[in-house]
Amino acid sequence: MTYKIYLTTPRLTLRPLTMEDFAAVHSWASNPENVRYMSFGPNTEEETRAFLERQPKEEGRNFGVVLTETRAVIGSCGIYPNDKNDTAELGWILHMNHWKKGYGAELGAELIRYGFEDLQLRRIFTPCAAVNYGSYRIMERNNMRREALHKKTFWARVDKEWVDEAVYAILKEEWETLQ
């Protein structure tokens, strides 16, 4: 299968998701532990199928995270530009079997590069549940700074409780100085 937009890192290929990825996507999207701090899930099979059916419209925004060596789909990520102010929000999820291996920092760095170089953004930000250590460490490893902490504004669906949300960001000029 040929994809129009794909991004690469030393160990990962970021490419559009297809219906062929259903088993992999559903393996994390239906797992309560995996989606604990996501705005979706745990998904039913129908919800995962509906997500995958929307993907052709999301090319260049949503990507499957694929281990280049094995071609295994281990997660998904995305960049969501706001054309009115040249900013974008990032998001990601990795199957928990692939946590703590540096993949998140690697894909985060590539999304940031893509946003600043290819999309010509001026600012990139990412919100997360403030207790989600894995997610905010990805941001910190990519030199994003915590800009805000919103008290009890994020509904943790799995735990059924309101938790604090942290917002991290980086400006293009900050990123360029680090290159």
Side-chain angles (χ1 to χ4, degrees):
M1 181 166 287
T2 304
Y3 302 105
K4 295 177 187 172
I5 297 175
Y6 66 94
L7 308 173
T8 58
T9 73
R11 300 180 295 165
L12 304 172
T13 300
L14 308 182
R15 54 107 170 133
L17 288 166
T18 69
M19 287 303 286
E20 295 168 8
D21 301 318
F22 174 81
V25 173
H26 196 62
S27 73
W28 69 74
S30 63
N31 181 330
E33 183 62 26
N34 226 125
V35 298
R36 169 162 267 118
Y37 299 116
M38 301 303 292
S39 60
F40 67 88
N43 279 10
T44 64
E45 287 187 5
E46 294 75 28
E47 290 168 325
T48 299
R49 277 192 191 89
F51 167 75
L52 289 170
E53 286 169 359
R54 289 191 304 272
Q55 293 316 293
K57 297 175 187 167
E58 298 293 324
E59 186 162 354
R61 294 171 45 107
N62 282 342
F63 298 91
V65 179
V66 180
L67 292 176
T68 303
E69 189 175 310
T70 65
R71 296 188 179 165
V73 179
I74 64 165
S76 65
C77 62
I79 184 165
Y80 310 102
N82 179 337
D83 297 332
K84 293 178 184 172
N85 62 14
D86 298 324
T87 65
E89 180 178 338
L90 301 182
W92 48 73
I93 184 170
L94 292 174
H95 190 287
M96 61 192 298
N97 292 348
H98 299 281
W99 291 352
K100 298 182 181 179
K101 296 179 181 179
Y103 298 132
E106 199 170 312
L107 72 87
E110 180 58 14
L111 288 175
I112 291 169
R113 185 215 58 79
Y114 174 63
F116 289 140
E117 288 184 0
D118 298 346
L119 301 180
Q120 293 298 303
L121 299 170
R122 67 173 185 83
R123 180 177 180 273
I124 294 173
F125 69 97
T126 309
C128 75
V131 294
N132 188 346
Y133 175 80
S135 198
Y136 73 72
R137 278 300 293 148
I138 290 170
M139 295 174 237
E140 290 173 349
R141 288 184 68 196
N142 280 291
N143 299 298
M144 297 177 85
R145 68 188 144 15
R146 184 183 275 197
E147 287 188 335
L149 181 67
H150 303 282
K151 301 304 261 175
K152 297 193 180 211
T153 57
F154 184 86
W155 178 247
R157 295 170 55 130
V158 172
D159 297 327
K160 298 186 182 344
E161 66 178 334
W162 290 99
V163 297
D164 297 348
E165 179 179 67
V167 179
Y168 286 75
I170 188 167
L171 296 170
K172 184 173 187 176
E173 60 260 26
E174 294 170 325
W175 177 79
E176 287 174 335
T177 347
L178 299 166
Q179 300 310 300

